[in-house]
Amino acid sequence: MGFVFLRSDILQRGEQRTKKMAKKGLSVQTFDSKLKKSLEVEAAAGNAAKVLQAWRAGQAKAPMPKDLIKPVVQAFIDSEPEALVCELVRHINSHRDSLLNSFTGTTALDVVARSGNIEALEGLWKAFEHDLHLHRNCFMHEVMLGGYASSGNPGKVHEFTKLMQHNKLRLSPRGFSLIIKGFLKNGMLDATLEYIVLMKRSGHAVPAFAVAQFLRIACDAAKAAEIYALLKEKGIEVQHEAVAVMLDYCARHSDSKLARDVEKDARAENITFNTQVYDALLKVYAGDCNSDASKIFKEMQDGGHTISDGLCVGLLARCAEGKFLSFADEIVTYVRASHGMSIAAYSALMKVYAYSGLYSKACDLYDTIRKDGLEPDNMMYGCLMKFAAECGRTKLSQELSEKVQVLDVHNYMSLIRAAGRDHDVDRAFDIIKRMRQHKEPDAIAYNSVLDVCVKAGALQRAHDLIKEMKQLGLLDVISYNTLLKGYCNTGDSAGARAVCEEMMAAGMPPNDVSYNCMLNIAASAGDFTEASKVIRSMEQSGVKPDRYTVSIMLKLLKKIKGSRDAKKCLEFLDHADVEPCSDEILMNTVLETYMRLKEFQRLGLLLQRFEESSMKPSVPTYGSIIKAYACLKRIDKCWHYWAEMQGQRGLQPNEIVFGCMLDALVSNGQVEEAVKLFNQTKLKPNAVVCSILIKGFSNSQQPQRAMQFWHDMRKKGMRMNTAAYNAMVDVQAKLGNMDEVSEILQHMAEDDCKADPITHSTIAKGYAVKGDLDKAMEILWGMQQSKVPHDCIVYNTILDGCAKHKRPDLVDTILDSMKAHSILPTNFTLGILIKLYGRMKRLEKAFDALEVLPKIGKFTPNSAVWTGMLAACLQNNQPARAMKIFQDMRAAGDAADGRMCSSLVAGLVRQSRWREAVEVVDQVYGLSGSQRMDAPVDQDTLESLLAALAQSGLREELGTPLFERLRAARVPVSGRLMASAILTRDGWQSAPSESQKATSRKCVSQAKR
């Protein structure tokens, strides 16, 4: 706001006036020099009262010098603001020739404006006009504007701006700067932006510091992106200082999107990047695991910018959070080549490895540090001990403990954890004994030893330790929960309940960990009823489920057989207030569960939440994501995340993730793309990966190409395992190519790969497919005689062959053999038998199987079984029994698909069972109050039903009401169906007339629209 210095021309004019007065012989009075010196000393000391005392002693005799105006006015503001206007105006009036000028006025107003005393400012302004009749120039107006802006009064600023326009005064760049600074001081973003834009429109360049400060305040107000966009929209130039402000904000808030936009705009404007800009960009991209970090880092080096050890350490810390290993390696390479690794740099690198779960690699750095002549500090030794315990390097953990003269609590905890990994209870007790020599162990130390006892299954020693802790007064909720885990590990629900009762008696109610332990016991036993009781107890106690609760329920889902219980379990997961995308392990578990249960709608919603989250997936998680999108047939998303992992994140896929991507392509029919990717990879092919491609050739009916691929891999020296050979056998067995199967088995023996139960089952399948069921049975007898472990799959395979090749004579033999070898039938077994008996017109046998097999196999018929039974009834011209099956399915919580529902309606129509046909349609679409099924009846069947109802005289009673219900429920109605409804409603029993045909065509046209 420095108008005193900026307007030195006014001061010069005042000096010229003084010289003219001297030439005319007029006396020029001078302020007493002693008083002046005293005033200056007191002003420098901040003694406002003494400044005024000195000024008053000399002001009557002589005008104060120009350089005293500022300290005197400031003294009035600080000490006696109410006296300022009166005394200053009187003094100026007494010395008009020397002081009545714009310099005096501007200087005085400037001091008052900066103080924020608007009352004094306005009083002085009015006194200059009315008492002194001083001409108020543009500069004085601008000082007033600055004062009003500093006080946060945009209304007064607008008022004075209009006053200047009325007086034909134009705001100068200094005036604009004063207003902008004042508004910025008060954090008034909108008002600041208004005058920045006005300054630009007035043809003045907006100062770079003003734009930078404006953005700095916008960042503090969390409006960085919004204000930056407005500046760009208004054409305000953003220079390197403002760019640095924006990128620093992005680094602090991990806003990579905004950082990319700012960088792009800055490069487009050819703004030179300084060290501060590079620093912020690197921090953003390192935290975001963006591969552009490498380019920026190289650009910074090539530009000769200083890259400090502190920056490198900070970047490594950000790499740790995102598991950005590739960029971390680049940073370390640079540091080694430039100024060498420090303890701080090694510590940050250890953090990178630890966050990535590479604890052993973090431990390996210890030898490297020693070779570099560096000595780890106590904190690093503590971290190394912790990492050694995590990766099971017990010897290293003990070696490190000897390097530290005085172990702290964390060091002892690491040693106890290492003992826990080895299940060494004695060593854990020795460590706590050693700890007592330096300080008395606390509850944390005792609980750690208790945990070792539990892990080792030494529950008696755990109980003894609990008693000791109780005597020492160290028993807490964690102690009880640790003991509870011991009973959880052994599945002892009674012992676990006893611990909970003891907790309650001790005044420590069970918490989330306690309930999760109890829940885990129920889940391990597959007891959904008990698990539900635990969940209800949690809710009643006000304990919210956490991610561990969800994980345990997912584990329970694997053991639940009943569809109703599984449905309830999934509903619990839906309503649990736990965000799966907050934890990688949990998200992977949920993804795998939804994929296994084919819950594709839930799977899609979870993936959508993942995309909206800030999770930075690790390499294994990328594999799960690719598998999930493959299940949803979103191969485009598979490619997207495959590219993101390697490109944007700079992560290298391992063999498992590579296999996931290949399988995604194969399972979505893109075998050629899979082969292309396989040929491009730098990963060494293994048997699992080859099995995936072989499966692709099998799915695409290319058995010869599978054989050729197999021969090529053998020539390259790749050793196949049993699983890969089984895949090869399956390719040929599916088509009944038993000669090729024999060739594969011969090479399998040469490679010393032993045939497993899957191999034998697949061979049996080959003979079954070929129709040589006697040979298939020989394979089965051979497996039984050789005591080769086998399950229901081989029996089901042969039964399926019997169904396809009409060999019911073998069915009883196979079922008897299953019973003799304690092989329980499954839903698949039942489905095959129903299909076979249905084709052989032996419906009673199918119903017998439906009644008996679920009891033997202890399973509940699934949707496929019910659908097969319904089809068998229709196939045997038994619509009434089909209707009964339909109702039983509904009662069991299952539903037929659209094709079966359409077949059922058509079968009922053929048997003139009109009312039942209408009832089925009502139930399918939920027209009678029941829940709507996701199985629409096709339009042709509905059209036939309506036509049949009209022809049988049931148009008014059943036909028209059904059609109206369909329309009311917003069931999609085709033009033909609407025309059919109109025909039956209008009673066109004979051939329709031309006008009737026209009406029908009109209806069809309306339906299409």
Side-chain angles (χ1 to χ4, degrees), residues 131-144:
D131 299 341
L132 297 176
H133 305 291
L134 177 65
H135 171 68
R136 295 171 298 182
N137 61 15
C138 179
F139 308 114
M140 296 171 72
H141 280 81
E142 289 177 344
V143 171
M144 291 296 292

Side-chain angles (χ1 to χ4, degrees), residues 288-291 322-326 615-618 622 643-651:
D288 192 46
C289 298
N290 191 320
S291 59
K323 308 178 183 69
F324 199 2
L325 288 168
S326 58
M615 179 184 285
K616 299 291 186 298
S618 61
Y622 271 113
E644 178 186 279
M645 175 179 58
Q646 298 174 90
Q648 183 178 330
R649 297 287 308 282
L651 303 174

Side-chain angles (χ1 to χ4, degrees), residues 970-983:
R970 297 184 178 180
V971 175
V973 176
S974 69
R976 287 195 314 164
L977 181 58
M978 180 177 281
S980 176
I982 295 296
L983 288 170

Side-chain angles (χ1 to χ4, degrees), residues 442-638:
D442 57 9
I444 298 174
Y446 273 105
N447 284 333
S448 297
V449 177
L450 187 64
D451 186 59
V452 177
C453 294
V454 166
K455 285 180 178 176
L459 290 182
Q460 185 55 53
R461 294 192 73 173
H463 276 288
D464 294 341
L465 188 60
I466 286 282
K467 291 177 182 177
E468 182 182 344
M469 292 172 69
K470 195 171 185 178
Q471 291 173 354
L472 294 170
L474 298 176
L475 211 57
D476 57 17
V477 175
I478 297 173
S479 312
Y480 281 115
N481 283 337
T482 305
L483 186 59
L484 202 57
K485 288 178 187 176
Y487 288 107
C488 177
N489 293 341
T490 59
D492 187 349
S493 56
R497 279 193 293 270
V499 173
C500 287
E501 290 171 4
E502 188 178 339
M503 287 177 72
M504 295 291 287
M508 301 178 193
N511 60 10
D512 54 342
V513 178
S514 316
Y515 283 113
N516 285 337
C517 287
M518 296 296 294
L519 187 64
N520 193 43
I521 294 174
S524 299
D527 191 341
F528 180 76
T529 304
E530 182 62 29
S532 299
K533 289 180 182 177
V534 176
I535 293 294
R536 282 196 296 272
S537 297
M538 287 182 75
E539 293 171 349
Q540 292 167 2
S541 302
V543 178
K544 291 184 177 181
D546 58 14
R547 57 195 176 100
Y548 297 107
T549 314
V550 172
S551 297
I552 294 167
M553 292 301 285
L554 290 171
K555 179 171 117 178
L556 175 61
L557 256 176
K558 292 182 180 179
K559 300 190 176 185
I560 290 177
K561 295 182 179 179
S563 58
R564 286 187 176 181
D565 287 347
K567 186 178 179 182
K568 288 179 183 177
C569 194
L570 287 170
E571 287 173 353
F572 164 77
L573 298 176
D574 291 339
H575 296 101
D577 188 19
V578 176
E579 176 52 61
C581 300
S582 63
D583 179 81
E584 267 195 277
I585 296 174
L586 178 60
M587 193 185 87
N588 281 321
T589 307
V590 178
L591 282 174
E592 292 294 338
T593 300
Y594 288 162
M595 285 187 277
R596 179 171 49 82
L597 297 177
K598 295 182 171 54
E599 287 288 335
F600 297 134
Q601 185 176 0
R602 286 184 168 93
L603 184 64
L605 291 173
L606 176 57
L607 289 170
Q608 183 179 342
R609 288 164 72 177
F610 157 71
E611 293 195 342
E612 294 169 354
S613 74
S614 58
M615 179 184 285
K616 299 291 186 298
S618 61
V619 171
T621 303
Y622 271 113
S624 296
I625 292 166
I626 289 170
K627 279 174 65 179
Y629 274 118
C631 289
L632 298 179
K633 309 299 180 186
R634 290 295 307 274
I635 199 66
D636 58 319
K637 287 287 188 180
C638 297

Side-chain angles (χ1 to χ4, degrees), residues 291-468:
S291 59
D292 285 346
S294 299
K295 299 175 186 175
I296 299 294
F297 194 55
K298 187 176 186 306
E299 186 178 316
M300 190 177 184
Q301 295 173 56
D302 294 343
H305 295 276
T306 302
I307 302 177
S308 66
D309 187 62
L311 172 60
C312 292
V313 170
L315 292 176
L316 285 171
R318 287 179 177 259
C319 289
E321 294 170 7
K323 308 178 183 69
F324 199 2
L325 288 168
S326 58
F327 186 49
D329 289 339
E330 288 184 41
I331 296 169
V332 170
T333 301
Y334 168 78
V335 174
R336 288 188 192 282
S338 55
H339 40 75
M341 292 286 284
S342 63
I343 285 293
Y346 273 120
S347 181
L349 182 58
M350 278 184 188
K351 186 178 178 182
V352 175
Y353 291 148
Y355 272 54
S356 300
L358 303 174
Y359 296 110
S360 185
K361 200 167 183 180
C363 292
D364 291 341
L365 287 176
Y366 175 62
D367 291 334
T368 309
I369 293 169
R370 299 300 300 274
K371 286 178 183 176
D372 285 354
L374 299 173
E375 182 63 34
D377 55 19
N378 282 346
M379 182 175 289
M380 181 176 281
Y381 272 123
C383 291
L384 283 166
M385 289 168 65
K386 179 182 176 182
F387 301 152
E390 290 290 344
C391 63
R393 293 173 66 169
T394 307
K395 186 177 179 181
L396 176 62
S397 178
Q398 292 174 335
E399 178 188 337
L400 292 168
S401 69
E402 294 170 1
K403 297 284 185 180
V404 182
Q405 293 181 351
V406 180
L407 295 175
D408 60 19
V409 175
H410 300 292
N411 301 145
Y412 282 115
M413 294 303 101
S414 297
L415 290 172
I416 294 171
R417 277 195 293 271
R421 289 187 70 92
D422 295 341
H423 292 185
D424 193 335
V425 178
D426 292 332
R427 192 165 89 235
F429 275 95
D430 286 342
I431 293 167
I432 205 152
K433 184 178 178 182
R434 177 182 168 190
M435 187 177 181
R436 286 196 189 98
Q437 296 173 1
H438 299 94
K439 61 177 295 183
E440 192 61 34
D442 57 9
I444 298 174
Y446 273 105
N447 284 333
S448 297
V449 177
L450 187 64
D451 186 59
V452 177
C453 294
V454 166
K455 285 180 178 176
L459 290 182
Q460 185 55 53
R461 294 192 73 173
H463 276 288
D464 294 341
L465 188 60
I466 286 282
K467 291 177 182 177
E468 182 182 344

